Amino acid sequence: MAAAAKDTGAEATGQARVTIRQVAVHAGVSEAAVSYALNNRPGVSEQTRARVLAAARDLGWAPNIAARSLGTAKANAVGLVLVRPPRVMIVDSWFTQMLSGVEAELNRNDIALVLHLVDRIEDTIDVYRKWWAGRHVDGVILTDLRKDDPRLDALVEIGLPAAVIGGKPGLDGCSTVDADVAGTARAIVGYLRALGHRTIARVAGTEELFHTGQRDAAYLDALDHAGLDRDRYRVVYTNYSAVDGMRAMRELMSGAEPPTAVVFDNDVMAAASLKVAHEMGLSVPEDVSVVAWDDSDLCQITVPAITAVQQTPALQAELAARALLATINGGEISHVTLQPGTLTARQSTRPLRAGRTS
Amino acid sequence: MAAAAKDTGAEATGQARVTIRQVAVHAGVSEAAVSYALNNRPGVSEQTRARVLAAARDLGWAPNIAARSLGTAKANAVGLVLVRPPRVMIVDSWFTQMLSGVEAELNRNDIALVLHLVDRIEDTIDVYRKWWAGRHVDGVILTDLRKDDPRLDALVEIGLPAAVIGGKPGLDGCSTVDADVAGTARAIVGYLRALGHRTIARVAGTEELFHTGQRDAAYLDALDHAGLDRDRYRVVYTNYSAVDGMRAMRELMSGAEPPTAVVFDNDVMAAASLKVAHEMGLSVPEDVSVVAWDDSDLCQITVPAITAVQQTPALQAELAARALLATINGGEISHVTLQPGTLTARQSTRPLRAGRTS
């Protein structure tokens, strides 16, 4: 190892250290691919690996001896770092379903899950470094991607195999398993359009999350697709909690032109909105229809029961864990999109009544 | 180490191996105390340790060389094995609150949590053995104790430090942090008694769990304490799910003498019972009062909002994690009981109306 480093000569001769970015540009591949290839980790094809190694040789890149000398003994463990307060941990069942799916796949392979909560997303990166340096985990699963997420570049730099529950175009350093956000939004808007609704509002989740942005775009696309006027569509962002969902519902229904249908980014807020309707003397669905993005027991025990789109977080998480294990075992990065969610119509939606202006 | 083992002579001379039980009887302490003392683990006082070592010497006990030679390097990790399907993972927020509490304490001490799901409770023990043999964890947290729980004896035998979220009299091998089950039952029954209710039914959780048995006893005690007739009290056991809670509510309200108040072992079943009342043409609280053992957002977003007793699973879990870390760091086993839950009266309970026979 030491001899190999000396051969490249970059540090020994006092030259400026060659960066991964330079190697990536020279090889015409992503930084992630360079990182995997140079760290001798799976996740890139043999052709890419050869191209990267040639570029690294050309530029005189010096490997990081300390990192490589740790060897390749597997930890048989996968890591998951959540940022506190994780939106998902108290307010809805997404977290438990996700965890159940990850564990289903890990258990089949006798792999443990190491869980860590941190206060700031930046702290995640320190945990990743420590885990990888000590080979406490063989890879990590990411969730709740931010619009501008510092973990992604860090993973590339660290060279830690990763899979994302969710997706983001251009992520070539991690496997991704994404929901069909566009298809789900079209299913919801198309159904409401068929019932005669023209003024639709949305109670959205946390604005800084990447998937909230995905849904923002998906709903606009769905409105266009259904021939509805974007100007009549309103969005209120929340933190996904029942209390915040109620605040948003009050705000929407107190406007000069209240919507005839409100779609919610989770089941808890949709359920909580029924209480606001009750409190404001409005009937669901006579005065306003309600749809939840996630289906759950909760949507079935409310009166009225809530029309909802079934998502499959357990499956999504299971497939992400499977993709990660494949990468760890020498396979390549993969990108999967699930089928769109299935809409189950219940009592919270109805055709817009005749005579009512929408 | 090898010399020390030879000195004791037990195995070398072909004598029957001295068991931990024999040492415990000789020393007049528990098997757990012997296990801790002989494995040089914290969790017992110095006096007890000395007594155990003297007894072991007297009997010619041979230490398990393989286990001891692994040394005392800490893993800086704590383990949690859950049995699939964990009742708590889909149906209510108990699991996420518990996990949040455990992590709060572990994070402060820079300790990771290793999570594993197994299909059968017996499989837990294999995981414990593997974890402890490889020092993958320094201790474990147990939850959802069964009435007859095979993990407890195994922990004693393995010598793995442990803390239980929950409690069980006579557990001297683990720290415990228990809710005040008796106090909570008295708060609920006392309140309903004060409102004039005499015929109370309970929709209970999973019968095989130890804490379901604790509540069985606590409610009987509370009825006696309130001067109510045990013969008018009915219990229906469930699996904690909304669907099973609804089945139980239907069963209770279809009887010849339906209760005037129903208490539920969790919030999800209490919320689901409102739908059954609606479906049966009954009013809550006019025809029947409803109380939930756990409070949550859910109890506040239903119509009517549900009278509930606030439990503190996050605090309970945090204290259990703290007790475990104390044991790992040389402290002794401890047993804590939390304050009883606080009852918040909402719209789902009311005084029994005049003229109605109870």
Side-chain angles (χ1 to χ4, degrees), chain B residues 193-233:
Chain B
R193 168 73 181 72
L195 296 185
H197 294 276
R198 300 286 178 277
T199 312
I200 297 172
R202 170 165 158 248
V203 175
T206 308
E207 196 168 6
E208 67 178 339
L209 291 178
F210 177 75
H211 78 252
T212 301
Q214 274 182 305
R215 293 189 197 179
D216 287 341
Y219 270 107
L220 292 178
D221 160 77
L223 290 166
D224 294 347
H225 185 75
L228 295 178
D229 186 354
R230 285 184 177 206
D231 290 343
R232 304 180 79 166
Y233 167 69

Side-chain angles (χ1 to χ4, degrees), chain A residues 2-74:
Chain A
K6 206 173 160 213
D7 287 347
T8 64
E11 290 196 314
T13 58
Q15 294 170 18
R17 177 155 187 159
V18 176
T19 65
I20 282 186
R21 177 178 293 275
Q22 289 172 297
V23 177
V25 170
H26 194 80
V29 300
S30 71
E31 290 180 52
V34 172
S35 177
Y36 283 132
L38 293 181
N39 286 295
N40 202 26
R41 301 295 304 175
V44 288
S45 68
E46 281 313 307
Q47 289 106 308
T48 302
R49 193 182 303 277
R51 190 139 38 106
V52 168
L53 292 175
R57 267 195 309 274
D58 289 352
L59 297 175
W61 177 83
N64 179 337
I65 307 297
R68 298 195 61 170
S69 66
L70 283 164
T72 53
K74 282 203 183 140

